[in-house]
Amino acid sequence: MEDFNSETDSDYASYWRDWFISTRGHEYFCEIDEDYLTDRFNLTGLQAEVQYYQYALDLVTDQFDFECEDDMREQIEKSARHLYGLVHARYIITTRGLAKMLEKYKKCDFGRCPRVLCRSHPLLPLGLSDLPHQKPVKLYCAKCEDVYSPKSSRHAAIDGAYFGASFPHILFQVYPGLIPPKSNERYMPRCFGFKTHAQAALSRWQEGEREAQDVRLEKAGVEVRRVDGEDEEDEDEEVVEV
């Protein structure tokens, strides 16, 4: 830290966050604004969740000047990463945080859906629980409305609570133009070109249920947008800008 004492206040204040964001395996995170981190209201309730809370906060905001043993320093560093993750889950559902995560979504920083029929649709990070130390982060596809495990082991080890269970859905509420149309296209098992009997019967039942649901939604005044697989091939893979 001493090497940065000669830098400007702005550069020095952003040093720990820059290091954290640029660390390999932290690509899913966005940088939290300093004003948000220093507003105690945004940190309500976190003191009981984080060991060495004040030291960790000082480290995240680059105010840490406590001389300590290496073992304790390592614990404080661990607490700082945990604190940043918990604050991150709150920050990304603010207006500023959503805008930053939207830019990462447009650049496909979170990866693309592995489902073939989703045609590489961009993913969003999702926590299956809002409580820390419960579930690792998953990736949500708005096209098939399913969740997947990250390919990288570094990403798979991130706590899902650092993103929360509501983030992707709040993003699409704020930016409804990004919601992709639902597709009727499904993989159909065939034997020598013929649909298997059980799968054919299931597909007919699913199609009937889908049509009945569309009728109910239209009667309720809800717009239903569906596209055929052939139409999807002509769509641009990039996220629609709003």
Side-chain angles (χ1 to χ4, degrees):
M1 289 291 190
E2 290 78 3
D3 295 338
F4 289 83
N5 287 340
S6 61
E7 300 292 336
T8 64
D9 291 343
S10 177
D11 291 337
Y12 180 68
S14 64
Y15 168 66
W16 191 93
R17 298 195 302 281
D18 287 343
W19 166 82
F20 180 84
I21 295 300
S22 61
T23 300
R24 191 175 181 183
H26 291 176
E27 292 82 4
Y28 290 177
F29 293 92
C30 70
E31 183 175 352
I32 303 174
D33 293 334
E34 182 182 359
D35 291 345
Y36 190 90
L37 276 169
T38 54
D39 187 338
R40 299 291 173 148
F41 177 78
N42 300 324
L43 310 178
T44 302
L46 297 183
Q47 188 166 0
E49 296 284 343
V50 180
Q51 188 179 23
Y52 303 121
Y53 169 81
Q54 190 57 54
Y55 290 145
L57 180 60
D58 289 345
L59 184 58
V60 170
T61 56
D62 283 325
Q63 304 300 319
F64 186 80
D65 59 357
F66 177 64
E67 296 294 334
C68 58
E69 299 293 332
D70 290 343
D71 289 344
M72 185 174 182
R73 172 72 185 217
E74 184 177 346
Q75 289 299 317
I76 294 173
E77 177 65 40
K78 182 179 179 181
S79 294
R81 294 194 295 269
H82 184 48
L83 175 62
Y84 190 93
L86 295 177
V87 178
H88 184 266
R90 300 180 177 187
Y91 177 72
I92 60 175
I93 57 175
T94 65
T95 301
R96 179 63 177 160
L98 285 169
K100 288 186 177 183
M101 295 296 276
L102 175 61
E103 290 304 312
K104 296 175 73 66
Y105 177 63
K106 289 179 178 179
K107 294 185 293 184
C108 299
D109 286 354
F110 310 116
R112 295 176 180 272
C113 184
R115 181 175 179 267
V116 173
L117 297 180
C118 282
R119 293 179 171 80
S120 300
H121 194 78
L123 298 169
L124 283 168
L126 169 74
L128 299 182
S129 173
D130 290 320
L131 301 176
H133 312 303
Q134 298 294 319
K135 299 284 186 179
V137 68
K138 301 298 181 182
L139 296 170
Y140 171 76
C141 175
K143 192 83 165 179
C144 61
E145 298 182 325
D146 210 344
V147 294
Y148 302 90
S149 296
K151 293 180 180 180
S152 169
S153 59
R154 289 186 177 89
H155 295 150
I158 299 174
D159 198 323
Y162 297 165
F163 299 90
S166 303
F167 160 64
H169 316 302
I170 293 176
L171 181 74
F172 289 123
Q173 285 184 346
V174 175
Y175 301 101
L178 296 179
I179 301 175
K182 299 298 178 284
S183 173
N184 291 331
E185 188 179 19
R186 296 171 58 89
Y187 169 72
M188 183 64 64
R190 296 175 184 271
C191 292
F192 303 106
F194 296 98
K195 297 178 183 178
T196 58
H197 177 73
Q199 185 62 37
L202 176 61
S203 296
R204 286 194 295 271
W205 177 83
Q206 289 176 329
E207 185 61 31
E209 289 295 308
R210 185 181 297 114
E211 290 177 356
Q213 182 185 50
D214 289 350
V215 170
R216 291 194 298 269
L217 290 173
E218 289 176 357
K219 287 182 178 179
V222 178
E223 181 183 0
V224 179
R225 295 191 303 159
R226 296 190 185 277
V227 295
D228 295 327
E230 293 78 3
D231 296 335
E232 289 188 53
E233 294 179 355
D234 298 330
E235 291 183 354
D236 189 356
E237 290 185 352
E238 295 299 323
V239 179
V240 178
E241 188 162 347
V242 296

